[in-house]
Amino acid sequence: MARTAAPGTRERILDVAGALFYTEGVRAVGMSRIIGEVGCGKNLLYAHFPSKTDLVAAYLGRFRERRDRAEAQALREAGDDPGERLVALVAEIAGRLRRPDFRGCPFRNLLTEFPAGDELPERMAREYLAQTCELVGRLAGATGVPDPEGLADRIWLIIDGLYASGFRERAAEVAPDMVREAIAAARDPRAPAV
Amino acid sequence: MARTAAPGTRERILDVAGALFYTEGVRAVGMSRIIGEVGCGKNLLYAHFPSKTDLVAAYLGRFRERRDRAEAQALREAGDDPGERLVALVAEIAGRLRRPDFRGCPFRNLLTEFPAGDELPERMAREYLAQTCELVGRLAGATGVPDPEGLADRIWLIIDGLYASGFRERAAEVAPDMVREAIAAARDPRAPAV
DNA sequence: GTCTATAAGGGGATAGAC
DNA sequence: GTCTATCCCCTTATAGAC
């Protein structure tokens, strides 16, 4: 609105709000808390984000943009082999586990906080999960294994486990190997059977 | 407090509160809502549970009792082989996924809602996760594979994935196989490498 | 005109009292 | 059971500072 509004204000608000939402939860962080930590007036925040829902949606949107960029880069560097692309996808996610500020997947976390909600943030979260799940399915299909559905289920389970694992960050080390093994087993269905 | 309190009142409160907490989230459900759905007076509820924290702790406690019983039974039926016991443990968890009212792990969900909390419910949740993780480690160690730590990490990742997967319930079908494969691969470390 | 500071509205939370 | 106390939530409105 402002003709010469202070640049970067919106980003600064999103920085603070995003960090709080992610580490403490959306429900746990009130608008007053954000205003206090940003150090701005209440009006300024509501000028940029008319409601808390808008602010949460912007928080998820920014998370998604960064996620998509990192994912695209990982897939680009992995080359053309669908199996290697699956490994790279999981390895990229596993890399996030090692960051000290990692606290799971913001989309899954939001749906845990608002399981019945159907506003923009919840829809964004469900859309993200559906699209990522679909990507896994496409990559699994491209490997040419006899049972691509089963392979996709396994990879998705590993990804879910990575995001849920607040306890063992060593999961980051085994996850890519598990993907390789799942692909190998899918290519040679006779082998397993303990 | 009543001399001859109606029997089952406490259980009825826990039934209602537990279902609401589990399906809608602890933060999303207020005491007034619970009182309304139970149909009792406010005094009666606060007589049994002096605070919401107590009620949440009781909700988790009952969940844990049932979990422990089901887990013990699954392990009993699995026999003595540590590998089979790991498979049975995961299969028992996978079975929960198929229930229509499944909405993840109540302990993990609580920690997502209260990541920084340190009251009784949060401690109960962390204790449950730590003990289950420890059980997996013991069973993995008992298999006698060269790298029990790595095996335990894999199994724990699968369990985490099962609880997080709100999307693909087909995960329930592949998870036990993944456990078998992980054990087989751990017993013969040369095989994998796609 | 841009932003801050403060107050207040309307609702619902937990909890206590009678 | 109802009624009240206290608090915090999101949001809007008002008033003042630069």
Side-chain angles (χ1 to χ4, degrees), chain A residues 12-160:
Chain A
R12 202 160 45 89
I13 293 172
L14 266 180
D15 283 342
V16 172
L20 289 173
F21 285 155
Y22 182 61
T23 62
E24 303 190 20
V26 170
R27 282 198 128 108
V29 175
M31 295 295 268
S32 56
R33 169 89 182 279
I34 296 168
I35 287 156
E37 302 231 353
V38 171
C40 70
K42 198 170 275 203
N43 276 351
L44 186 57
L45 187 147
Y46 276 100
H48 284 281
F49 304 97
S51 77
K52 185 176 181 179
T53 301
D54 295 284
L55 182 56
V56 174
Y59 148 68
L60 289 183
R62 207 165 65 155
F63 234 111
R64 165 109 205 221
E65 283 175 20
R66 295 176 178 175
R67 245 268 79 207
D68 285 348
R69 271 199 299 274
E71 176 185 291
Q73 183 187 347
L75 290 180
R76 211 180 313 119
E77 293 172 354
D80 288 337
D81 179 68
E84 284 307 316
R85 288 165 77 83
L86 277 173
V87 173
L89 180 66
V90 169
E92 196 277 322
I93 294 169
R96 299 169 179 269
L97 269 181
R98 300 202 185 86
R99 300 188 193 174
D101 57 345
F102 179 81
R103 210 187 67 74
C105 168
F107 304 101
R108 289 169 173 84
N109 289 351
L110 185 102
L111 292 178
T112 298
E113 287 197 272
F114 301 88
D118 193 34
E119 292 197 87
L120 183 54
E122 294 91 320
R123 285 201 300 271
M124 290 172 71
R126 295 199 183 95
E127 183 187 20
Y128 166 78
L129 290 178
Q131 290 177 350
T132 307
C133 191
E134 208 179 329
L135 169 66
V136 170
R138 280 201 309 274
L139 289 175
T143 59
V145 301
D147 179 20
E149 290 275 353
L151 178 59
D153 290 340
R154 284 154 195 249
I155 309 297
W156 187 248
L157 183 66
I158 293 168
I159 291 175
D160 263 346

Side-chain angles (χ1 to χ4, degrees), chain B residues 15-145:
Chain B
D15 283 342
V16 172
L20 289 173
F21 286 155
Y22 182 61
T23 62
E24 303 189 20
V26 171
R27 280 198 126 108
V29 175
M31 295 295 269
S32 55
R33 169 89 182 279
I34 295 168
I35 289 160
E37 303 230 352
V38 171
C40 70
K42 188 178 279 200
N43 273 354
L44 190 54
L45 188 146
Y46 277 101
H48 283 281
F49 305 97
S51 76
K52 184 176 180 178
T53 300
D54 296 285
L55 182 55
V56 174
Y59 147 68
L60 289 183
R62 207 167 62 155
F63 235 112
R64 167 110 205 221
E65 284 175 20
R66 295 176 178 177
R67 246 262 88 205
D68 286 348
R69 270 199 299 273
E71 178 184 291
Q73 184 187 347
L75 291 179
R76 211 180 313 121
E77 293 173 355
D80 288 338
D81 179 68
E84 284 307 315
R85 289 165 76 84
L86 277 173
V87 173
L89 180 66
V90 169
E92 196 278 321
I93 295 169
R96 301 169 177 268
L97 267 181
R98 299 201 185 87
R99 299 188 194 174
D101 57 346
F102 179 80
R103 211 186 68 73
C105 168
F107 305 101
R108 289 169 173 84
N109 289 350
L110 185 102
L111 292 177
T112 298
E113 288 196 271
F114 302 87
D118 194 32
E119 293 196 87
L120 182 54
E122 296 91 321
R123 286 201 299 272
M124 291 172 72
R126 295 199 183 93
E127 183 187 19
Y128 165 77
L129 290 178
Q131 290 177 350
T132 307
C133 191
E134 208 180 329
L135 168 66
V136 170
R138 280 201 310 273
L139 289 175
T143 60
V145 301

